[in-house]
Amino acid sequence: MQRRRRVEDDLALLTSLRRRADDLAVLMEWSAAGEDVTADLARGLDEFQREVEAAETKKMLGGEHDRANAIVTIHPGAGGTESQDWAEMLLRMYLKWSERRGLKRDIIDYQPGDEAGIKSATILLVGDFAYGLMLAEAGVHRLVRISPFDQAARRHTSFASVFVWPELADDVDVEIEDKDLRVDTYRSSGAGGQHVNVTDSAVRITHLPTGIVVSCQNERSQHKNRASAMKVLRSRLYDMKLKEQQARLEQLGGEKRDIAFGSQIRSYVLQPYQMIKDHRTKMQVGDVNRVLDGDLDEFIKTYLMKKASGTLGAPGGDDEE
């Protein structure tokens, strides 16, 4: 049923593009005949351009799991409260972005920081192409600002990592044996109030062979939390398997690549000037508040276009102070 709906959506898009193109052709003919259709033509071209850009983005998302829901985990880097606050800012940005795109959001795990921010957070974004779009955000994000936690008002640099995995369909084979799992339960953490659990309903699962740890605490039922945590574990193990296969292929082919983990994909400079720069695409935006409020589509589309054309750069920091 999902495949049928997606095919129907593609056919509807194709029909709409053809209809708009025909309407614009008629307006062009009227204009050539001396009719005053300038306003209609301008409006029609704007609508046509928006629809074409949406179709282009869809075309670039042709990977095996690009249509899947996305599991997103955010971790602060070293730096204590400063980095934990930056991680929470990123979480807010992605929640705002997903709201703009009409994606359903589900916070699977949320570990608040000791003073401010978060120690980690995992969210599930549900909707078409959630994974394909969010994959553009995977990597290390760097923030430069005057710290609100520094009484001397000095400038600080903070880092946070964003990891993205597809939510796997039930028919994807990932073998997990019970003997390889350690399951711990604990009480959910939160800000307090009537919704704080008084039972050990939160679940933490450790996959012993790989050391992968996943947790879930958003449900009141321990059974539901375990099911959600297992979904995340399956996705992470599948992602690890794919990366191992890719590494073996690159080794056989003699391809040498720099290890990019630990170098930022994007820098967010709030002081002394305001600028957000993606180091892979070289795209820059001066309106930092708009981006931090979830307006990421331009960054994501540029990333997809560069990736599709083979001109995507490596992460790095060519604008260091």
Side-chain angles (χ1 to χ4, degrees), residues 82-246:
E82 188 68 42
S83 292
Q84 290 175 10
D85 186 57
W86 171 224
E88 187 171 44
M89 290 169 65
L90 285 175
L91 174 63
R92 176 184 176 274
M93 181 175 75
Y94 294 130
L95 291 175
K96 290 276 190 182
W97 171 79
S98 59
E99 184 179 4
R100 283 169 175 255
R101 292 201 65 94
L103 300 175
K104 181 184 174 186
R105 286 117 352 115
D106 188 6
I107 298 178
I108 295 176
D109 186 47
Y110 184 92
Q111 302 291 336
D114 295 327
E115 297 179 37
I118 56 172
K119 293 179 180 177
S120 72
T122 299
I123 57 175
L124 173 66
L125 301 180
V126 179
D128 269 357
F129 300 106
Y131 172 70
L133 294 169
M134 268 305 298
L135 195 57
E137 296 297 304
V140 179
H141 296 249
R142 167 179 173 259
L143 173 71
V144 180
R145 64 171 175 176
I146 301 296
S147 172
F149 307 102
D150 187 339
Q151 291 183 346
R154 289 170 293 190
R155 192 166 50 153
H156 285 245
T157 299
S158 308
F159 293 89
S161 297
V162 177
F163 302 89
V164 183
W165 301 280
E167 185 188 36
L168 299 179
D170 292 336
D171 58 354
V172 176
D173 183 29
V174 178
E175 186 176 342
I176 303 176
E177 297 187 25
D178 288 341
K179 67 181 179 64
D180 292 335
L181 301 179
R182 185 178 77 236
V183 181
D184 301 306
T185 58
Y186 58 98
R187 290 190 182 182
S188 297
S189 56
Q194 61 179 338
H195 298 299
V196 173
N197 282 335
V198 294
T199 58
D200 293 342
S201 62
V203 173
R204 182 185 297 110
I205 300 176
T206 304
H207 187 249
L208 299 175
T210 62
I212 292 176
V213 180
V214 296
S215 54
C216 181
Q217 60 172 325
N218 68 316
E219 302 285 353
R220 289 172 179 254
S221 159
Q222 187 182 117
H223 177 73
K224 289 182 178 178
N225 280 329
R226 177 178 174 132
S228 294
M230 285 298 293
K231 273 189 176 183
V232 177
L233 179 61
R234 288 179 71 244
S235 294
R236 291 188 61 175
L237 288 173
Y238 183 79
D239 181 69
M240 178 181 286
K241 187 167 108 178
L242 286 183
K243 285 178 177 175
E244 287 174 353
Q245 291 173 347
Q246 184 65 30

Side-chain angles (χ1 to χ4, degrees), residues 3-121:
R3 287 197 297 269
R4 174 176 176 165
R5 180 172 56 82
R6 288 165 181 165
V7 170
E8 288 174 346
D9 289 345
D10 290 342
L11 288 172
L13 176 61
L14 180 61
T15 302
S16 178
L17 288 171
R18 285 177 172 164
R19 179 178 53 77
R20 288 190 186 278
D22 291 342
D23 291 346
L24 287 170
V26 171
L27 289 173
M28 291 290 288
E29 290 178 5
W30 289 355
S31 179
E35 296 284 341
D36 184 12
V37 293
T38 305
D40 291 334
L41 188 57
R43 185 170 56 254
L45 284 170
D46 288 341
E47 292 172 352
F48 189 54
Q49 182 178 357
R50 283 195 295 271
E51 200 159 11
V52 167
E53 288 176 352
E56 284 178 338
T57 302
K58 239 179 150 180
K59 183 181 177 184
M60 289 183 286
L61 294 169
E64 183 182 1
H65 298 293
D66 281 353
R67 283 184 179 266
N69 301 329
I71 297 169
V72 183
T73 296
I74 302 170
H75 288 294
T81 302
E82 188 68 42
S83 292
Q84 290 175 10
D85 186 57
W86 171 224
E88 187 171 44
M89 290 169 65
L90 285 175
L91 174 63
R92 176 184 176 274
M93 181 175 75
Y94 294 130
L95 291 175
K96 290 276 190 182
W97 171 79
S98 59
E99 184 179 4
R100 283 169 175 255
R101 292 201 65 94
L103 300 175
K104 181 184 174 186
R105 286 117 352 115
D106 188 6
I107 298 178
I108 295 176
D109 186 47
Y110 184 92
Q111 302 291 336
D114 295 327
E115 297 179 37
I118 56 172
K119 293 179 180 177
S120 72

